[in-house]
Amino acid sequence: MTNIRKVAELAGVSVATVSRALKTPDVVSPGTRDKVLAAVEQADYRPNLTAVQFRSQRTRNLVVLVPTIANTFFARVIGGIQEAAQRRGYGILLCNTLGDERTERAYAGLVSTRQADGLIQLRAHDPFTTSSGQARPPMVNACEVLDAAPCPTVKLDNRAAARSVTEHLLALGHCRIGMIKGPRNSPLTRDRLLGFQDALAVAGLLPDESLVFPGDFTPSSGYRAAGDLLSRADPPTAIFCENDEMAMGAMRRIKEAGLRIPEDISVAGFDDIAFASFCDPPLTTIAQPAEDFGREAVALLLDIIDDRDDAADEHRIMPFELVTRESTGPAA
Amino acid sequence: MTNIRKVAELAGVSVATVSRALKTPDVVSPGTRDKVLAAVEQADYRPNLTAVQFRSQRTRNLVVLVPTIANTFFARVIGGIQEAAQRRGYGILLCNTLGDERTERAYAGLVSTRQADGLIQLRAHDPFTTSSGQARPPMVNACEVLDAAPCPTVKLDNRAAARSVTEHLLALGHCRIGMIKGPRNSPLTRDRLLGFQDALAVAGLLPDESLVFPGDFTPSSGYRAAGDLLSRADPPTAIFCENDEMAMGAMRRIKEAGLRIPEDISVAGFDDIAFASFCDPPLTTIAQPAEDFGREAVALLLDIIDDRDDAADEHRIMPFELVTRESTGPAA
DNA sequence: TAGGTGAGTGTAACCGGTTACATTTCGCTG
DNA sequence: CAGCGAAATGTAACCGGTTACACTCACCTA
């Protein structure tokens, strides 16, 4: 391994000069700089990054905790994170936590032990064990966000978005609307449910708990929940699913029951994943700027890391858009 | 930051003893060990990982280069990689390369500069600039594999798998079969095309280049290619797509043309992504153990890193399975 | 000409662990 | 009780950079 000393020797200068020629070229004379660069070239020298990181206490790595990478929406968010991080010279250490707290804490430890400069959490959970008194490591909470997050956040106004979907269904004349929600205890699910109920209330409808079934954001959970909804004596004329994956599962189940979408029953989703416009019929849903969630989270995190302190308590709300396609139609 | 010296002082021992008590507990006496552990606890000491990495020249990080994380299949592979890596105490540095060579080389550099111990490449491309004479950094090539990979590989027998799909279509009586393939220059695409042609040849059919259209593994490219196939004077009675994403796009296009699947035209995909069994009709496809690709790649890579040298030239072939669903049926 | 200035460079301490080697401790045998 | 070897522990070099501080020297001013 060629190190800085070999290069210094080769160039006939001191190690300090080599370091400076590479990091702050403007403080060395042009002549020496050229000598050093030539020596670097000749020796095929590349600084040992672990040494640089160790000495400078900066790794230029960010930890990303994602509940499940198999979810198309999260995959897009990660794409945005990675792109933004890379552009700023940061790498990302990805952890697919599957919602496991121990795993999350272990990876969060990478920040405490200086193997990463900060952390982006895409789940509504604080992975840092509240070490008494000490400063919190840099963190941003995005997508599924804690109510009282101890850090900047990037989220959607889930309540307003769910309300707009529901209003769309109400406008089509539906008044018995089923809902397939996400896991319990999730602020995101709670907000979407609230938005759903807001719209019903404005329309003068009473919320009916028996029309709400929980899922886990996978197609098969949507499939199961739709089965439950259809087996009612008075099945709903429309179903609002908290994400597109569950909506696709629900649509499958509805078709297997011999019902037509949207003639017999309307279906709406949430996220606008790539498949939403390709399923049959194309899915009415809420479009979110997934990649931007990631980019924004990185921007906020780097603001904290470089302590541009004004950013320490920012809470960004990302825009959404109701995309109406053929999966929703007038009530029968 | 509490460091090893503070702990040593607290425990009334030397730094060496602290280091040993933590790394090789069996060489220190039980009494001292307890003293040290108590001091560690009291000081809330956690070794600075960058220092450990620097000193031991081991980072316990692996670089993963993925062409696009938005692809459901790759997302699953990454899930497998992450799980296996984590179990062995390794983290993964993810790079969504979008097929860009410069990006790939930059990340590959993390291995050369010791910020990672090895690399997993999911694309058929060698990211290391062939540095003359020097030893190749540890690398494994998985999924889309180079023909003459300079490293262990994990792949599918794409030719056999494509052949089995095609045989299934032929057995159903189809003799004009369209194909939507992947990007040119990809060994993976070439092999699937060869398998397709193998089956046709065995059935005594001549390959017809005009029935083969290129896509890029996205639903919209499948949609476009299907449009091209349908606009022929004699459209095919079946279409084999090189992945499920394109198959879903193709199915959408076929329905928009007013044709029924599979009565008018059969469609088959490749990968068996989560949505394959939920689309309409459920998709006939090739199931691959995506997560196992990742796990296997990690296992091989760690074999090289820990130079269990017997592994240096392994080429694993993963199993596949034809999953027949309702998207394929007898030729009209 | 003495003295001051600042650009360019070198010396060496330092980051926080790991570990080779030296030293001490302790139990055991003759 | 001397003597020995093994076990336990301490000392300090080391990894490869970064950077504070010291130093040299050319140039300028009074």
Side-chain angles (χ1 to χ4, degrees), chain A residues 291-327:
Chain A
E291 286 81 5
D292 288 339
F293 273 77
R295 297 189 189 107
E296 201 63 37
V298 169
L300 285 175
L301 186 55
L302 295 190
D303 276 353
I304 304 177
I305 290 173
D306 300 337
D307 53 12
R308 287 186 283 281
D309 38 22
D310 48 331
D313 206 44
E314 289 242 28
H315 297 281
R316 298 274 160 85
I317 305 288
M318 304 301 283
F320 64 85
E321 188 189 355
L322 175 67
V323 181
T324 56
R325 299 202 181 93
E326 288 91 84
S327 70

Side-chain angles (χ1 to χ4, degrees), chain A residues 236-259:
Chain A
T237 63
I239 302 180
F240 169 31
C241 305
E242 277 195 14
N243 78 346
D244 291 349
E245 261 96 340
M246 294 194 295
M248 290 180 71
M251 292 210 293
R252 173 93 229 121
R253 185 69 187 76
I254 291 166
K255 289 174 191 162
E256 284 180 10
L259 298 170

Side-chain angles (χ1 to χ4, degrees), chain A residues 190-233:
Chain A
R190 183 205 53 210
D191 289 348
R192 291 186 187 171
L193 188 56
L194 284 173
F196 174 67
Q197 291 166 341
D198 286 350
L200 295 184
V202 169
L205 296 172
L206 289 175
D208 180 351
E209 281 293 329
S210 73
L211 280 167
V212 179
F213 283 85
D216 62 5
F217 290 138
T218 63
S220 42
S221 73
Y223 180 90
R224 277 193 302 275
D228 293 340
L229 278 163
L230 294 179
S231 66
R232 288 169 54 99

Side-chain angles (χ1 to χ4, degrees), chain A residues 42-118:
Chain A
Q42 189 189 332
D44 188 30
Y45 168 70
R46 316 229 232 137
N48 179 325
L49 277 189
T50 62
V52 175
Q53 292 175 349
F54 167 49
R55 185 59 237 245
S56 55
Q57 300 285 37
R58 269 292 205 94
T59 59
R60 302 189 81 82
N61 282 335
L62 308 176
V63 170
V64 175
L65 303 182
V66 55
T68 165
I69 197 181
N71 180 298
T72 315
F73 179 74
F74 283 129
R76 285 179 59 199
V77 175
I78 291 172
I81 290 176
Q82 211 265 324
E83 180 218 303
Q86 191 185 342
R87 202 174 35 225
R88 311 268 226 115
Y90 279 75
I92 75 168
L93 278 160
L94 182 76
C95 178
N96 195 31
T97 65
L98 304 176
D100 180 56
E101 258 187 70
R102 291 227 320 282
T103 306
E104 289 186 346
R105 269 206 297 275
Y107 268 77
L110 295 182
V111 184
S112 315
T113 54
R114 320 231 153 225
Q115 203 191 135
D117 298 341

Side-chain angles (χ1 to χ4, degrees), chain A residues 13-17 20 28-29 32 54-55:
Chain A
V13 299
S14 73
V15 291
T17 300
R20 284 189 280 252
V28 306
S29 72
T32 344
F54 167 49
R55 185 59 237 245

Side-chain angles (χ1 to χ4, degrees), chain B residues 13-17 20 28-29 32 54-55:
Chain B
V13 299
S14 72
V15 292
T17 300
R20 284 190 280 251
V28 307
S29 72
T32 358
F54 168 48
R55 186 57 236 248

